[in-house]
Amino acid sequence: MYTSSNSLKPLLESRFTGNRWSYFWGELLSNSGYFLILKSLSTIIHKSWLEYLTNPTEYFLIVAMLIQAWVLSRPKSNRFWGNLVGVGLYTIMDFPIDGLEYFKEPIHLVFLIFSFLIATLQGLRFHSKLKADWLFFPLESITRTLMIIAFYVVVEISTDSDRLYWQTFLNFLQSKTHSFLTLSMILIGLLLGLQAFQLSQQRNQLQQTARLLGNMAEWGMGSYMVARALNNPEALAFQQCDRTILFMDIRGFTQWCEQTKPDIAAQVLNHYYQTVEPESSRYHPLKVTLAGDEIMAVYATPQQGIKAAQAMQAAAINVLNPYGLGAGCSIHCGEVIEGLFGGKDVRTYTVIGDVVNTGKRLEGITPAGEITISDAICQALNHQLNVQRREPIFVKGKVEPLIAWRLN
């Protein structure tokens, strides 16, 4: 199965950062689920499991926070408005039941206040021009730990809801044990926030390193083999398969280089590669190899090889003609051995076999500006190409001459 460079990038990204479901669970467990857990615990502790399970508003809350987590798990979600989805939906669903009493419930006020605080901090961290993650991570973490204290206070005043909330909080802090608990939670939140900031920095550095290594691996082995290595490392073993091999080589390039300044020769060759290689990539090669003035491309089907050869030859003519040069191109298909070849420290994906050798020999007899296709290609495409038969080609090591065609 072929994987193009365009489809490889999302695959690499998913390995670096996870897929949509991992984003969802990560968001639910690290952010949106906090209030859901604390609210549920406060209801169960203050009332009972039975009242919790039979209260429809509790299910409203579960649905609202799951939707918020789903919204925030999108790659380009707005963190400010996304963090207000849960409280907004819960208010819309619960207000028709409780009426104005909804806003008199301490637990609802805690929900509104802390949702807005988290939304503001994450909005600033993700969407503002302020580059102060070192500040926003600890503040978010402290806010979440203070939410625990807020729920603790709510549970305590739930039997006396006529108290002033601010006075209740002041009374709460007058207790040494409560002061210790509050300060401890703030310090723990600070430490957890600093740790989250450090982990975020390390994760960003690892992702940048992984992307760089992924690009280097793709340049060296091609997107096809990198994708195979990621999806199934066991598939890297040698295997027999049908492939289409394309060769293109500049005619007389070595002699031309001897008569040309090295910097000019390098510029021409690099321009040639920059122009021709993208044309080969348009048709999804499994691997493109550049060696000297030769391009070798491996394709999954003869159709891809034919289209690529025509596009590459047209590009090569535009680049090489002004210098009196041209490239010969050949296409052959058949069974090859495919896999990673090399030693202990250096290995690369390539294909070997008689099909490769024959394809190279067909390229060697092809004049500049032309494309030679093998009889195997013609048969694979049911002779539906505009071709002209070449003279039989006698190759060392083969008893029968090669039948080849010139692609018009």
Short mmCIF file of all heavy atoms in Angstrom, two decimals, residues 111-175:
data_model
loop_
_atom_site.label_atom_id
_atom_site.label_comp_id
_atom_site.label_asym_id
_atom_site.label_seq_id
_atom_site.Cartn_x
_atom_site.Cartn_y
_atom_site.Cartn_z
N PHE A 111 -19.01 26.93 39.66
CA PHE A 111 -18.88 26.47 38.28
C PHE A 111 -18.66 27.66 37.34
O PHE A 111 -17.75 27.66 36.50
CB PHE A 111 -20.15 25.70 37.91
CG PHE A 111 -20.06 24.94 36.61
CD1 PHE A 111 -18.85 24.76 35.94
CD2 PHE A 111 -21.20 24.38 36.05
CE1 PHE A 111 -18.77 24.06 34.75
CE2 PHE A 111 -21.13 23.68 34.86
CZ PHE A 111 -19.93 23.52 34.21
N LEU A 112 -19.49 28.68 37.46
CA LEU A 112 -19.39 29.84 36.58
C LEU A 112 -18.06 30.57 36.76
O LEU A 112 -17.38 30.90 35.77
CB LEU A 112 -20.55 30.81 36.89
CG LEU A 112 -21.95 30.35 36.43
CD1 LEU A 112 -23.01 31.22 37.08
CD2 LEU A 112 -22.05 30.41 34.92
N ILE A 113 -17.67 30.81 38.00
CA ILE A 113 -16.46 31.59 38.28
C ILE A 113 -15.22 30.86 37.78
O ILE A 113 -14.38 31.44 37.07
CB ILE A 113 -16.35 31.89 39.79
CG1 ILE A 113 -17.44 32.87 40.21
CG2 ILE A 113 -14.97 32.47 40.12
CD1 ILE A 113 -17.57 33.04 41.71
N PHE A 114 -15.09 29.58 38.12
CA PHE A 114 -13.87 28.86 37.75
C PHE A 114 -13.83 28.51 36.26
O PHE A 114 -12.74 28.44 35.68
CB PHE A 114 -13.71 27.60 38.61
CG PHE A 114 -13.17 27.89 39.98
CD1 PHE A 114 -14.01 28.14 41.04
CD2 PHE A 114 -11.80 27.97 40.19
CE1 PHE A 114 -13.51 28.42 42.30
CE2 PHE A 114 -11.29 28.25 41.44
CZ PHE A 114 -12.15 28.49 42.51
N SER A 115 -14.98 28.33 35.64
CA SER A 115 -14.99 28.13 34.19
C SER A 115 -14.46 29.37 33.49
O SER A 115 -13.66 29.28 32.54
CB SER A 115 -16.40 27.81 33.70
OG SER A 115 -16.83 26.56 34.18
N PHE A 116 -14.89 30.54 33.96
CA PHE A 116 -14.44 31.79 33.35
C PHE A 116 -12.94 32.01 33.60
O PHE A 116 -12.22 32.45 32.69
CB PHE A 116 -15.24 32.97 33.91
CG PHE A 116 -14.86 34.28 33.30
CD1 PHE A 116 -15.29 34.63 32.03
CD2 PHE A 116 -14.04 35.17 33.99
CE1 PHE A 116 -14.94 35.84 31.46
CE2 PHE A 116 -13.67 36.38 33.43
CZ PHE A 116 -14.12 36.72 32.16
N LEU A 117 -12.47 31.69 34.80
CA LEU A 117 -11.04 31.86 35.11
C LEU A 117 -10.17 30.95 34.22
O LEU A 117 -9.17 31.40 33.64
CB LEU A 117 -10.78 31.55 36.58
CG LEU A 117 -11.30 32.59 37.59
CD1 LEU A 117 -11.08 32.08 39.02
CD2 LEU A 117 -10.60 33.92 37.39
N ILE A 118 -10.56 29.68 34.11
CA ILE A 118 -9.79 28.75 33.28
C ILE A 118 -9.86 29.17 31.82
O ILE A 118 -8.85 29.14 31.09
CB ILE A 118 -10.33 27.32 33.45
CG1 ILE A 118 -10.06 26.79 34.86
CG2 ILE A 118 -9.69 26.38 32.42
CD1 ILE A 118 -8.60 26.64 35.22
N ALA A 119 -11.04 29.60 31.36
CA ALA A 119 -11.19 30.04 29.97
C ALA A 119 -10.29 31.24 29.69
O ALA A 119 -9.63 31.31 28.63
CB ALA A 119 -12.64 30.40 29.69
N THR A 120 -10.23 32.17 30.64
CA THR A 120 -9.39 33.36 30.45
C THR A 120 -7.92 33.00 30.39
O THR A 120 -7.18 33.46 29.50
CB THR A 120 -9.64 34.36 31.58
OG1 THR A 120 -11.02 34.74 31.58
CG2 THR A 120 -8.79 35.61 31.39
N LEU A 121 -7.47 32.16 31.32
CA LEU A 121 -6.04 31.80 31.36
C LEU A 121 -5.64 31.01 30.11
O LEU A 121 -4.58 31.26 29.52
CB LEU A 121 -5.75 30.98 32.62
CG LEU A 121 -5.82 31.76 33.94
CD1 LEU A 121 -5.73 30.81 35.13
CD2 LEU A 121 -4.70 32.78 34.00
N GLN A 122 -6.48 30.06 29.69
CA GLN A 122 -6.13 29.28 28.49
C GLN A 122 -6.26 30.13 27.23
O GLN A 122 -5.49 29.94 26.29
CB GLN A 122 -7.02 28.04 28.39
CG GLN A 122 -6.69 26.99 29.44
CD GLN A 122 -7.17 25.61 29.06
OE1 GLN A 122 -7.74 25.40 27.99
NE2 GLN A 122 -6.92 24.65 29.93
N GLY A 123 -7.20 31.06 27.22
CA GLY A 123 -7.30 31.96 26.08
C GLY A 123 -6.06 32.81 25.93
O GLY A 123 -5.55 33.01 24.82
N LEU A 124 -5.53 33.29 27.05
CA LEU A 124 -4.30 34.08 27.00
C LEU A 124 -3.11 33.22 26.61
O LEU A 124 -2.24 33.65 25.83
CB LEU A 124 -4.05 34.72 28.37
CG LEU A 124 -5.02 35.84 28.78
CD1 LEU A 124 -4.79 36.25 30.22
CD2 LEU A 124 -4.86 37.05 27.85
N ARG A 125 -3.06 31.99 27.11
CA ARG A 125 -1.91 31.12 26.82
C ARG A 125 -1.88 30.67 25.37
O ARG A 125 -0.81 30.62 24.75
CB ARG A 125 -1.93 29.90 27.75
CG ARG A 125 -0.77 28.93 27.50
CD ARG A 125 -0.54 28.03 28.70
NE ARG A 125 -1.62 27.11 28.92
CZ ARG A 125 -1.69 25.88 28.40
NH1 ARG A 125 -0.73 25.45 27.59
NH2 ARG A 125 -2.69 25.09 28.69
N PHE A 126 -3.03 30.37 24.80
CA PHE A 126 -3.07 29.82 23.45
C PHE A 126 -3.24 30.87 22.36
O PHE A 126 -2.77 30.67 21.24
CB PHE A 126 -4.21 28.80 23.32
CG PHE A 126 -3.92 27.47 23.94
CD1 PHE A 126 -4.21 27.22 25.26
CD2 PHE A 126 -3.33 26.46 23.18
CE1 PHE A 126 -3.94 25.99 25.83
CE2 PHE A 126 -3.04 25.23 23.74
CZ PHE A 126 -3.35 24.99 25.08
N HIS A 127 -3.92 31.96 22.66
CA HIS A 127 -4.33 32.87 21.58
C HIS A 127 -3.77 34.28 21.68
O HIS A 127 -3.90 35.05 20.73
CB HIS A 127 -5.86 32.95 21.53
CG HIS A 127 -6.53 31.61 21.42
ND1 HIS A 127 -6.32 30.76 20.36
CD2 HIS A 127 -7.39 30.97 22.26
CE1 HIS A 127 -7.03 29.65 20.54
NE2 HIS A 127 -7.69 29.77 21.68
N SER A 128 -3.16 34.63 22.79
CA SER A 128 -2.61 35.98 22.90
C SER A 128 -1.17 35.99 22.41
O SER A 128 -0.54 34.94 22.21
CB SER A 128 -2.67 36.48 24.34
OG SER A 128 -1.70 35.82 25.13
N LYS A 129 -0.63 37.17 22.20
CA LYS A 129 0.75 37.31 21.77
C LYS A 129 1.73 37.24 22.94
O LYS A 129 2.94 37.31 22.74
CB LYS A 129 0.93 38.65 21.04
CG LYS A 129 0.14 38.73 19.73
CD LYS A 129 0.36 40.05 19.03
CE LYS A 129 -0.43 40.13 17.73
NZ LYS A 129 -0.23 41.42 17.02
N LEU A 130 1.19 37.09 24.14
CA LEU A 130 2.05 36.99 25.32
C LEU A 130 2.72 35.61 25.35
O LEU A 130 2.04 34.58 25.39
CB LEU A 130 1.22 37.18 26.60
CG LEU A 130 0.53 38.55 26.75
CD1 LEU A 130 -0.37 38.53 27.98
CD2 LEU A 130 1.57 39.65 26.87
N LYS A 131 4.01 35.57 25.31
CA LYS A 131 4.75 34.32 25.39
C LYS A 131 5.18 34.11 26.83
O LYS A 131 6.33 34.33 27.22
CB LYS A 131 5.96 34.36 24.45
CG LYS A 131 5.62 34.61 23.00
CD LYS A 131 4.70 33.53 22.44
CE LYS A 131 4.38 33.78 20.97
NZ LYS A 131 3.46 32.76 20.43
N ALA A 132 4.21 33.71 27.66
CA ALA A 132 4.47 33.59 29.10
C ALA A 132 3.89 32.29 29.63
O ALA A 132 3.18 32.27 30.62
CB ALA A 132 3.89 34.80 29.83
N ASP A 133 4.20 31.18 28.95
CA ASP A 133 3.73 29.88 29.44
C ASP A 133 4.22 29.59 30.85
O ASP A 133 3.53 28.89 31.62
CB ASP A 133 4.19 28.76 28.49
CG ASP A 133 3.39 28.75 27.20
OD1 ASP A 133 2.52 29.62 27.04
OD2 ASP A 133 3.66 27.88 26.35
N TRP A 134 5.40 30.10 31.18
CA TRP A 134 5.94 29.90 32.52
C TRP A 134 5.02 30.49 33.58
O TRP A 134 5.04 30.05 34.74
CB TRP A 134 7.32 30.56 32.63
CG TRP A 134 7.29 32.05 32.34
CD1 TRP A 134 7.44 32.65 31.15
CD2 TRP A 134 7.06 33.09 33.30
NE1 TRP A 134 7.32 34.02 31.26
CE2 TRP A 134 7.09 34.32 32.58
CE3 TRP A 134 6.84 33.13 34.67
CZ2 TRP A 134 6.91 35.55 33.20
CZ3 TRP A 134 6.65 34.36 35.29
CH2 TRP A 134 6.69 35.55 34.55
N LEU A 135 4.20 31.47 33.22
CA LEU A 135 3.26 32.09 34.14
C LEU A 135 1.88 31.44 34.08
O LEU A 135 1.27 31.15 35.12
CB LEU A 135 3.13 33.58 33.83
CG LEU A 135 2.08 34.38 34.62
CD1 LEU A 135 2.43 34.35 36.11
CD2 LEU A 135 1.99 35.80 34.10
N PHE A 136 1.39 31.17 32.85
CA PHE A 136 0.03 30.67 32.70
C PHE A 136 -0.13 29.24 33.17
O PHE A 136 -1.19 28.88 33.72
CB PHE A 136 -0.42 30.80 31.24
CG PHE A 136 -0.57 32.23 30.79
CD1 PHE A 136 0.07 32.71 29.65
CD2 PHE A 136 -1.35 33.10 31.52
CE1 PHE A 136 -0.08 34.02 29.25
CE2 PHE A 136 -1.51 34.42 31.13
CZ PHE A 136 -0.87 34.88 30.00
N PHE A 137 0.87 28.38 32.97
CA PHE A 137 0.77 27.01 33.46
C PHE A 137 0.58 26.96 34.97
O PHE A 137 -0.34 26.29 35.46
CB PHE A 137 2.00 26.20 33.03
CG PHE A 137 1.86 25.51 31.71
CD1 PHE A 137 2.52 26.00 30.59
CD2 PHE A 137 1.07 24.39 31.57
CE1 PHE A 137 2.39 25.37 29.36
CE2 PHE A 137 0.93 23.75 30.34
CZ PHE A 137 1.60 24.25 29.24
N PRO A 138 1.43 27.65 35.77
CA PRO A 138 1.21 27.64 37.22
C PRO A 138 -0.13 28.26 37.63
O PRO A 138 -0.79 27.75 38.54
CB PRO A 138 2.39 28.46 37.76
CG PRO A 138 3.44 28.33 36.73
CD PRO A 138 2.72 28.28 35.43
N LEU A 139 -0.53 29.35 36.97
CA LEU A 139 -1.79 29.98 37.33
C LEU A 139 -2.98 29.05 37.06
O LEU A 139 -3.92 28.98 37.87
CB LEU A 139 -1.97 31.28 36.55
CG LEU A 139 -1.10 32.47 37.00
CD1 LEU A 139 -1.34 33.68 36.11
CD2 LEU A 139 -1.36 32.82 38.46
N GLU A 140 -2.95 28.34 35.95
CA GLU A 140 -4.02 27.38 35.67
C GLU A 140 -4.05 26.29 36.72
O GLU A 140 -5.13 25.90 37.20
CB GLU A 140 -3.81 26.76 34.29
CG GLU A 140 -4.19 27.64 33.12
CD GLU A 140 -4.00 26.92 31.80
OE1 GLU A 140 -4.36 25.73 31.72
OE2 GLU A 140 -3.47 27.52 30.86
N SER A 141 -2.88 25.78 37.07
CA SER A 141 -2.81 24.70 38.05
C SER A 141 -3.27 25.16 39.43
O SER A 141 -4.01 24.46 40.12
CB SER A 141 -1.38 24.16 38.12
OG SER A 141 -1.30 23.05 38.98
N ILE A 142 -2.89 26.35 39.83
CA ILE A 142 -3.32 26.90 41.11
C ILE A 142 -4.83 27.10 41.11
O ILE A 142 -5.52 26.82 42.10
CB ILE A 142 -2.60 28.23 41.41
CG1 ILE A 142 -1.11 27.96 41.68
CG2 ILE A 142 -3.23 28.94 42.59
CD1 ILE A 142 -0.28 29.22 41.80
N THR A 143 -5.38 27.57 40.00
CA THR A 143 -6.83 27.77 39.89
C THR A 143 -7.57 26.45 40.08
O THR A 143 -8.60 26.40 40.76
CB THR A 143 -7.18 28.38 38.52
OG1 THR A 143 -6.50 29.64 38.38
CG2 THR A 143 -8.67 28.61 38.39
N ARG A 144 -7.06 25.38 39.52
CA ARG A 144 -7.72 24.09 39.67
C ARG A 144 -7.65 23.57 41.10
O ARG A 144 -8.60 22.95 41.60
CB ARG A 144 -7.11 23.08 38.69
CG ARG A 144 -7.43 23.38 37.23
CD ARG A 144 -7.07 22.21 36.33
NE ARG A 144 -7.40 22.52 34.95
CZ ARG A 144 -6.57 23.05 34.08
NH1 ARG A 144 -5.32 23.33 34.43
NH2 ARG A 144 -6.95 23.31 32.85
N THR A 145 -6.51 23.79 41.76
CA THR A 145 -6.43 23.34 43.16
C THR A 145 -7.32 24.19 44.06
O THR A 145 -7.90 23.67 45.02
CB THR A 145 -4.97 23.39 43.65
OG1 THR A 145 -4.44 24.71 43.46
CG2 THR A 145 -4.09 22.40 42.91
N LEU A 146 -7.42 25.48 43.75
CA LEU A 146 -8.33 26.33 44.52
C LEU A 146 -9.78 25.93 44.30
O LEU A 146 -10.64 26.15 45.16
CB LEU A 146 -8.13 27.80 44.14
CG LEU A 146 -6.87 28.47 44.68
CD1 LEU A 146 -6.76 29.90 44.16
CD2 LEU A 146 -6.87 28.46 46.21
N MET A 147 -10.09 25.33 43.15
CA MET A 147 -11.44 24.84 42.90
C MET A 147 -11.79 23.75 43.91
O MET A 147 -12.96 23.64 44.33
CB MET A 147 -11.55 24.32 41.47
CG MET A 147 -12.97 24.00 41.04
SD MET A 147 -13.16 23.90 39.24
CE MET A 147 -12.00 22.60 38.82
N ILE A 148 -10.82 22.96 44.31
CA ILE A 148 -11.06 21.93 45.33
C ILE A 148 -11.44 22.60 46.65
O ILE A 148 -12.39 22.18 47.34
CB ILE A 148 -9.81 21.05 45.50
CG1 ILE A 148 -9.48 20.33 44.19
CG2 ILE A 148 -10.02 20.04 46.62
CD1 ILE A 148 -8.19 19.54 44.24
N ILE A 149 -10.71 23.67 47.01
CA ILE A 149 -11.03 24.40 48.24
C ILE A 149 -12.43 25.00 48.14
O ILE A 149 -13.20 24.96 49.10
CB ILE A 149 -9.99 25.52 48.48
CG1 ILE A 149 -8.58 24.92 48.62
CG2 ILE A 149 -10.34 26.33 49.70
CD1 ILE A 149 -8.42 23.97 49.78
N ALA A 150 -12.77 25.55 46.97
CA ALA A 150 -14.09 26.15 46.79
C ALA A 150 -15.19 25.12 46.99
O ALA A 150 -16.22 25.40 47.63
CB ALA A 150 -14.18 26.77 45.40
N PHE A 151 -15.00 23.92 46.47
CA PHE A 151 -16.00 22.88 46.66
C PHE A 151 -16.06 22.44 48.12
O PHE A 151 -17.13 22.11 48.64
CB PHE A 151 -15.69 21.68 45.76
CG PHE A 151 -16.34 21.78 44.42
CD1 PHE A 151 -15.64 22.24 43.33
CD2 PHE A 151 -17.66 21.44 44.25
CE1 PHE A 151 -16.24 22.34 42.09
CE2 PHE A 151 -18.27 21.53 43.02
CZ PHE A 151 -17.56 21.99 41.93
N TYR A 152 -14.92 22.44 48.77
CA TYR A 152 -14.88 22.10 50.20
C TYR A 152 -15.74 23.09 50.98
O TYR A 152 -16.53 22.71 51.85
CB TYR A 152 -13.43 22.14 50.69
CG TYR A 152 -13.22 21.66 52.10
CD1 TYR A 152 -12.91 20.34 52.37
CD2 TYR A 152 -13.35 22.53 53.17
CE1 TYR A 152 -12.72 19.90 53.67
CE2 TYR A 152 -13.16 22.11 54.48
CZ TYR A 152 -12.85 20.79 54.72
OH TYR A 152 -12.66 20.37 56.00
N VAL A 153 -15.60 24.37 50.65
CA VAL A 153 -16.40 25.40 51.31
C VAL A 153 -17.88 25.21 50.98
O VAL A 153 -18.74 25.32 51.86
CB VAL A 153 -15.93 26.81 50.89
CG1 VAL A 153 -16.86 27.88 51.46
CG2 VAL A 153 -14.50 27.04 51.33
N VAL A 154 -18.19 24.91 49.73
CA VAL A 154 -19.58 24.71 49.31
C VAL A 154 -20.21 23.56 50.08
O VAL A 154 -21.37 23.65 50.53
CB VAL A 154 -19.65 24.47 47.80
CG1 VAL A 154 -21.04 23.96 47.40
CG2 VAL A 154 -19.34 25.75 47.04
N VAL A 155 -19.48 22.48 50.25
CA VAL A 155 -20.01 21.34 50.99
C VAL A 155 -20.28 21.72 52.44
O VAL A 155 -21.30 21.32 53.04
CB VAL A 155 -19.03 20.15 50.93
CG1 VAL A 155 -19.46 19.04 51.87
CG2 VAL A 155 -18.96 19.62 49.51
N GLU A 156 -19.42 22.56 53.01
CA GLU A 156 -19.59 22.96 54.40
C GLU A 156 -20.79 23.88 54.58
O GLU A 156 -21.50 23.81 55.58
CB GLU A 156 -18.34 23.67 54.93
CG GLU A 156 -17.24 22.72 55.33
CD GLU A 156 -16.31 23.32 56.37
OE1 GLU A 156 -16.29 24.56 56.50
OE2 GLU A 156 -15.62 22.55 57.04
N ILE A 157 -21.05 24.79 53.63
CA ILE A 157 -22.13 25.77 53.80
C ILE A 157 -23.44 25.28 53.22
O ILE A 157 -24.43 25.99 53.28
CB ILE A 157 -21.76 27.12 53.16
CG1 ILE A 157 -21.76 26.99 51.63
CG2 ILE A 157 -20.46 27.65 53.68
CD1 ILE A 157 -21.60 28.31 50.94
N SER A 158 -23.43 24.09 52.66
CA SER A 158 -24.65 23.62 51.98
C SER A 158 -25.82 23.47 52.95
O SER A 158 -26.98 23.52 52.54
CB SER A 158 -24.39 22.30 51.26
OG SER A 158 -23.94 21.33 52.20
N THR A 159 -25.52 23.28 54.26
CA THR A 159 -26.61 23.15 55.24
C THR A 159 -27.05 24.50 55.77
O THR A 159 -28.02 24.60 56.52
CB THR A 159 -26.14 22.28 56.43
OG1 THR A 159 -24.96 22.87 56.99
CG2 THR A 159 -25.84 20.87 55.96
N ASP A 160 -26.33 25.56 55.39
CA ASP A 160 -26.67 26.90 55.85
C ASP A 160 -26.47 27.87 54.71
O ASP A 160 -25.56 28.69 54.73
CB ASP A 160 -25.81 27.27 57.07
CG ASP A 160 -26.28 28.56 57.73
OD1 ASP A 160 -27.32 29.10 57.30
OD2 ASP A 160 -25.60 29.04 58.65
N SER A 161 -27.29 27.78 53.68
CA SER A 161 -27.09 28.54 52.46
C SER A 161 -27.40 30.01 52.62
O SER A 161 -27.22 30.77 51.69
CB SER A 161 -27.95 27.95 51.34
OG SER A 161 -29.32 27.99 51.73
N ASP A 162 -27.87 30.45 53.80
CA ASP A 162 -28.15 31.86 54.00
C ASP A 162 -26.90 32.66 54.35
O ASP A 162 -26.95 33.88 54.41
CB ASP A 162 -29.20 32.06 55.10
CG ASP A 162 -30.56 31.51 54.68
OD1 ASP A 162 -30.81 31.48 53.45
OD2 ASP A 162 -31.34 31.12 55.57
N ARG A 163 -25.81 31.99 54.63
CA ARG A 163 -24.58 32.69 54.97
C ARG A 163 -24.05 33.47 53.77
O ARG A 163 -24.24 33.07 52.63
CB ARG A 163 -23.50 31.72 55.44
CG ARG A 163 -23.73 31.14 56.83
CD ARG A 163 -22.54 30.30 57.21
NE ARG A 163 -22.68 29.68 58.51
CZ ARG A 163 -21.75 28.93 59.08
NH1 ARG A 163 -20.60 28.72 58.44
NH2 ARG A 163 -21.93 28.39 60.26
N LEU A 164 -23.33 34.54 54.06
CA LEU A 164 -22.65 35.25 52.99
C LEU A 164 -21.44 34.44 52.55
O LEU A 164 -20.65 33.99 53.38
CB LEU A 164 -22.20 36.64 53.48
CG LEU A 164 -23.33 37.61 53.85
CD1 LEU A 164 -22.74 38.90 54.42
CD2 LEU A 164 -24.18 37.92 52.63
N TYR A 165 -21.29 34.28 51.27
CA TYR A 165 -20.24 33.39 50.80
C TYR A 165 -18.87 33.92 51.12
O TYR A 165 -17.99 33.15 51.53
CB TYR A 165 -20.41 33.20 49.28
CG TYR A 165 -21.76 32.66 48.90
CD1 TYR A 165 -22.47 33.20 47.85
CD2 TYR A 165 -22.33 31.61 49.61
CE1 TYR A 165 -23.72 32.73 47.50
CE2 TYR A 165 -23.59 31.14 49.29
CZ TYR A 165 -24.28 31.69 48.23
OH TYR A 165 -25.52 31.22 47.90
N TRP A 166 -18.66 35.21 50.98
CA TRP A 166 -17.34 35.75 51.28
C TRP A 166 -17.03 35.66 52.75
O TRP A 166 -15.90 35.40 53.15
CB TRP A 166 -17.24 37.20 50.80
CG TRP A 166 -18.15 38.18 51.50
CD1 TRP A 166 -19.41 38.51 51.15
CD2 TRP A 166 -17.83 38.93 52.68
NE1 TRP A 166 -19.93 39.43 52.03
CE2 TRP A 166 -18.97 39.70 52.99
CE3 TRP A 166 -16.69 39.02 53.50
CZ2 TRP A 166 -19.03 40.56 54.07
CZ3 TRP A 166 -16.74 39.88 54.58
CH2 TRP A 166 -17.91 40.64 54.88
N GLN A 167 -18.04 35.88 53.60
CA GLN A 167 -17.82 35.77 55.04
C GLN A 167 -17.53 34.32 55.42
O GLN A 167 -16.71 34.04 56.31
CB GLN A 167 -19.06 36.27 55.80
CG GLN A 167 -18.87 36.32 57.31
CD GLN A 167 -17.78 37.28 57.72
OE1 GLN A 167 -17.76 38.43 57.27
NE2 GLN A 167 -16.84 36.83 58.54
N THR A 168 -18.23 33.41 54.76
CA THR A 168 -17.97 31.99 55.01
C THR A 168 -16.54 31.62 54.67
O THR A 168 -15.89 30.87 55.40
CB THR A 168 -18.93 31.13 54.17
OG1 THR A 168 -20.26 31.51 54.49
CG2 THR A 168 -18.74 29.66 54.46
N PHE A 169 -16.05 32.16 53.57
CA PHE A 169 -14.67 31.87 53.17
C PHE A 169 -13.68 32.44 54.18
O PHE A 169 -12.68 31.81 54.51
CB PHE A 169 -14.40 32.42 51.78
CG PHE A 169 -13.05 32.05 51.25
CD1 PHE A 169 -12.75 30.74 50.90
CD2 PHE A 169 -12.06 33.01 51.11
CE1 PHE A 169 -11.51 30.39 50.41
CE2 PHE A 169 -10.80 32.66 50.63
CZ PHE A 169 -10.53 31.36 50.28
N LEU A 170 -13.96 33.66 54.67
CA LEU A 170 -13.09 34.25 55.69
C LEU A 170 -13.10 33.41 56.97
O LEU A 170 -12.05 33.19 57.59
CB LEU A 170 -13.52 35.69 55.98
CG LEU A 170 -13.30 36.70 54.85
CD1 LEU A 170 -13.83 38.07 55.27
CD2 LEU A 170 -11.82 36.79 54.49
N ASN A 171 -14.28 32.97 57.35
CA ASN A 171 -14.37 32.10 58.52
C ASN A 171 -13.62 30.79 58.31
O ASN A 171 -13.02 30.25 59.22
CB ASN A 171 -15.84 31.82 58.85
CG ASN A 171 -16.57 33.07 59.31
OD1 ASN A 171 -15.96 34.03 59.79
ND2 ASN A 171 -17.90 33.06 59.16
N PHE A 172 -13.70 30.33 57.07
CA PHE A 172 -13.00 29.09 56.73
C PHE A 172 -11.49 29.25 56.93
O PHE A 172 -10.83 28.37 57.49
CB PHE A 172 -13.31 28.75 55.26
CG PHE A 172 -12.60 27.53 54.75
CD1 PHE A 172 -13.13 26.27 54.95
CD2 PHE A 172 -11.40 27.65 54.05
CE1 PHE A 172 -12.48 25.14 54.46
CE2 PHE A 172 -10.75 26.53 53.56
CZ PHE A 172 -11.29 25.27 53.77
N LEU A 173 -10.94 30.39 56.55
CA LEU A 173 -9.50 30.61 56.65
C LEU A 173 -9.04 30.88 58.08
O LEU A 173 -7.85 30.80 58.37
CB LEU A 173 -9.08 31.77 55.74
CG LEU A 173 -9.19 31.54 54.24
CD1 LEU A 173 -8.78 32.78 53.48
CD2 LEU A 173 -8.33 30.36 53.82
N GLN A 174 -9.97 31.22 58.98
CA GLN A 174 -9.58 31.48 60.36
C GLN A 174 -9.14 30.22 61.07
O GLN A 174 -8.40 30.28 62.06
CB GLN A 174 -10.74 32.14 61.10
CG GLN A 174 -10.99 33.59 60.69
CD GLN A 174 -12.17 34.21 61.39
OE1 GLN A 174 -12.83 33.55 62.22
NE2 GLN A 174 -12.44 35.47 61.09
N SER A 175 -9.56 29.11 60.56
CA SER A 175 -9.12 27.84 61.13
C SER A 175 -7.70 27.53 60.65
O SER A 175 -7.40 27.63 59.46
CB SER A 175 -10.08 26.72 60.70
OG SER A 175 -9.54 25.45 61.00
#
